Amino acid sequence: SLLVDYEGSVILVSHDREFIDNVVTSSLVFEGEGRLSEFVGGYSAAHSWYAEQNKKASEKTASGTNMTGQSPKSQTKSVTKTSNKLSYKDSRELEQLPSTIERLEAELQTLETQINSSDFFAQTPADQQPVFTALSECQAQLDTAYERWDELEALQEQISGS
């Protein structure tokens, strides 16, 4: 849960596929021959994309319609362009963001009410500082949540339009 809530970047290496799917927002996949691809989502997103590409390549090869002369592996594209739905983690995050934003706005309102009370500034600066810090952190989290919501909505629209 700490990694899911962490807002920075983390390079994670694990053999636990479920853990990866639940934690990561993008994956780097080593394809061989010095190629590296980035996928939105975890292991399952990359695996299903490769399975789909291999299936298409097999069908094209079997029917003799592979007109490009390139190997199926060299025809691969990023999953962000070919995926027909958001990853499980992104879908879940998009569903939870409105309630997270609502909670952060309520918390922000509570802190602002506390600061606006007539006796707040009668306190010592040491007593005021934790409230100001909490207000600042809450506002930053709210801004990040709105930005992420916009990103996920745009990604969903891009996928829907594809």
Side-chain angles (χ1 to χ4, degrees), residues 8 11 37 42 49 58 89 93 102 105-106 113 133 136 154:
I11 296 177
S37 294
W49 185 81
S58 296
K89 184 175 187 231
E93 185 178 4
E102 194 173 303
E105 287 176 338
T113 301
T133 303
S136 176

Side-chain angles (χ1 to χ4, degrees), residues 49 95 98 103 118 126 135 150 156:
W49 185 81
E95 289 172 7
R103 178 186 53 80
S118 59
L135 180 73
D150 288 342
Q156 188 174 35

Side-chain angles (χ1 to χ4, degrees), residues 68-85:
T68 64
Q70 295 177 327
S71 70
K73 205 159 198 151
S74 65
Q75 297 173 356
T76 60
K77 297 178 185 172
S78 173
V79 76
T80 57
K81 295 178 183 169
T82 60
S83 178
N84 59 1
K85 65 179 185 171

Side-chain angles (χ1 to χ4, degrees), residues 15-26:
H15 293 283
D16 186 343
R17 295 173 184 173
E18 184 178 348
F19 174 70
I20 291 171
D21 285 339
N22 290 331
V23 173
V24 303
T25 57
S26 69

Side-chain angles (χ1 to χ4, degrees), residues 104-121:
L104 288 169
E105 287 176 338
E107 184 179 334
L108 194 63
Q109 181 65 38
T110 302
L111 291 168
E112 288 173 348
T113 301
Q114 186 177 354
I115 290 172
N116 291 332
S117 70
S118 59
D119 60 341
F120 179 76
F121 288 100

Side-chain angles (χ1 to χ4, degrees), residues 1-55:
S1 67
L2 291 175
L3 288 176
V4 171
D5 294 335
Y6 184 70
E7 294 181 19
S9 296
V10 174
I11 296 177
L12 170 73
V13 178
S14 175
H15 293 283
D16 186 343
R17 295 173 184 173
E18 184 178 348
F19 174 70
I20 291 171
D21 285 339
N22 290 331
V23 173
V24 303
T25 57
S26 69
S27 301
L28 297 175
V29 177
F30 293 92
E31 294 184 345
E33 299 177 13
R35 287 191 314 258
L36 185 71
S37 294
E38 181 176 3
F39 289 88
V40 175
Y43 172 81
S44 295
H47 180 69
S48 64
W49 185 81
Y50 277 110
E52 182 180 320
Q53 293 303 310
N54 288 337
K55 181 180 175 186

Side-chain angles (χ1 to χ4, degrees), residues 21 24-25 40-42 45 83 85-93 148 152 155 159:
D21 285 339
V24 303
T25 57
V40 175
S83 178
K85 65 179 185 171
L86 288 175
S87 70
Y88 172 75
K89 184 175 187 231
D90 288 343
S91 297
R92 215 170 130 208
E93 185 178 4
R148 183 64 178 154
L152 290 173
L155 182 60
I159 290 170

